[in-house]
Amino acid sequence: MIMKPLLKFIFILFSLQLTSQTADIENVTTFTIEVPQLETTKKIWLYLPTNYSKSEKAYPVIYMHDAQNLFDAESSYAGEWKIDEYLNGLNERESIIVGIEHGNEKRIEELTPYKNATYGGGQGKAYIEFIKNNLKPKIDSTYNTLPDASNTTIFGSSLGGLVSFYAAMKYPETFGKAGVFSPAFWINPEIFTFVRSIELPGTTKLYFLAGTDEGENMLPKMEAMIHLLKSKGLKDEQLEQRIIEGGQHNEQLWASNFGTAYQWLYD
């Protein structure tokens, strides 16, 4: 069973009601977009590199979940990832970041590929198809992007880590890289059966991260998935695993390790 503090964190996070607001942060703007797959709309937080308006270059794109927690401490549940501050300090390997707000009380529903008998969910495939078929085409047609899979990353933590991993496995021709932080594999054990049934692409890059204090299931489930991926032929250069001693299931763990994961994925 999952430990109570972790379960409490997940439920508080997805049930948190946030007021829609315009980001007042350097390089970050917001817009809304229809999500026909889920019969809703989503607020999108968009980060553009510092010199974007003066440059003619095209940029990789990272699609990230739980956008409320990425750029702004005021909209976050328990601290921001400081994505914009980190990227503003780079002189190379710059990227466009597309943050997708979570659905508050519908967070579990949207970020789980399979329905859980206790917690519900199961709309993760529809959510990823929205990113693939609606959001990504809008971003690629509006901004100077490198649209190929090798320059398209999907990144998240907890349920966001689960659905990011699922996206990279389900649509490797679209999402060539994934940041998989503290993946909630426990809620959808079907993901193991799915991975056993597919051919793993030879170019996908996956960065896994978890802390030792995230509950009794976190590390065993993540390590079991990594073992499965390796048994199916995933090469060492396609996979990075980092375990943080004392790391807990929170924004501090994820924020403090984003930069390391970013550099490895784009190495």
Side-chain angles (χ1 to χ4, degrees), residues 165 195 200 206 208 225-234:
F165 176 75
V195 172
L200 295 181
L206 304 169
F208 288 90
M225 181 59 77
I226 291 170
H227 177 76
L228 174 58
L229 293 169
K230 289 182 175 180
S231 73
K232 289 181 65 69
L234 198 77

Side-chain angles (χ1 to χ4, degrees), residues 15-264:
S15 64
L16 183 64
Q17 299 296 318
L18 296 169
T19 302
S20 179
Q21 58 183 330
T22 300
D24 185 21
I25 309 166
E26 184 181 4
N27 301 3
V28 179
T29 57
T30 65
F31 65 89
T32 59
I33 184 173
E34 294 290 328
V35 186
Q37 295 85 348
L38 299 171
E39 298 182 349
T40 188
T41 60
K42 285 285 185 187
K43 180 179 176 181
I44 306 300
W45 302 53
L46 179 74
Y47 167 89
L48 296 176
T50 302
N51 294 319
Y52 177 85
S53 62
K54 301 176 183 178
S55 173
E56 297 182 358
K57 66 185 289 188
Y59 297 88
V61 181
I62 303 178
Y63 293 88
M64 302 187 71
H65 320 291
D66 298 320
Q68 294 96 323
N69 301 331
L70 301 180
F71 306 106
D72 189 351
E74 292 186 6
S75 67
S76 69
Y77 164 66
E80 60 163 309
W81 286 38
K82 298 184 179 181
I83 300 295
D84 49 329
E85 287 93 336
Y86 174 77
L87 293 176
N88 285 345
L90 297 181
N91 295 319
E92 56 183 15
R93 295 182 180 174
E94 297 169 301
S95 295
I96 293 171
I97 306 293
V98 181
I100 307 152
E101 70 171 353
H102 65 67
N104 294 307
E105 72 279 359
K106 293 185 177 180
R107 183 172 184 264
I108 284 182
E109 179 180 335
E110 294 177 355
L111 299 184
T112 50
Y114 309 98
K115 186 174 182 178
N116 180 279
T118 302
Y119 305 112
Q123 292 297 309
K125 182 173 183 288
Y127 170 76
I128 293 301
E129 287 179 347
F130 152 68
I131 300 174
K132 174 179 177 288
N133 298 330
N134 300 82
L135 181 58
K136 186 177 186 299
K138 176 179 176 64
I139 295 298
D140 289 338
S141 64
T142 306
Y143 301 96
N144 296 327
T145 70
L146 296 168
D148 59 291
S150 66
N151 287 290
T152 304
T153 300
I154 190 160
F155 203 128
S157 60
S158 192
L159 295 176
L162 166 66
V163 82
S164 294
F165 176 75
Y166 171 79
M169 297 292 99
K170 182 71 173 177
Y171 301 113
E173 73 284 357
T174 300
F175 305 105
K177 297 181 173 71
V180 186
F181 279 14
S182 306
F185 291 142
W186 62 270
I187 200 169
N188 276 171
E190 299 91 342
I191 194 74
F192 288 89
T193 302
F194 172 62
V195 172
R196 292 187 189 99
S197 72
I198 62 174
E199 293 290 330
L200 295 181
T203 55
T204 295
K205 294 187 71 173
L206 304 169
Y207 189 102
F208 288 90
L209 175 132
T212 59
D213 292 351
E214 291 198 69
E216 61 187 20
N217 283 326
M218 180 60 70
L219 287 179
K221 292 292 185 184
M222 190 178 81
E223 290 174 341
M225 181 59 77
I226 291 170
H227 177 76
L228 174 58
L229 293 169
K230 289 182 175 180
S231 73
K232 289 181 65 69
L234 198 77
K235 305 180 186 70
D236 289 343
E237 59 267 26
Q238 292 179 259
L239 171 67
E240 182 71 7
Q241 175 187 196
R242 190 174 185 196
I243 297 173
I244 305 301
E245 186 66 34
Q248 300 179 355
H249 197 82
N250 57 32
E251 306 299 332
Q252 180 180 354
L253 173 68
W254 306 324
S256 61
N257 287 282
F258 172 77
T260 302
Y262 179 92
Q263 293 296 334
W264 184 86

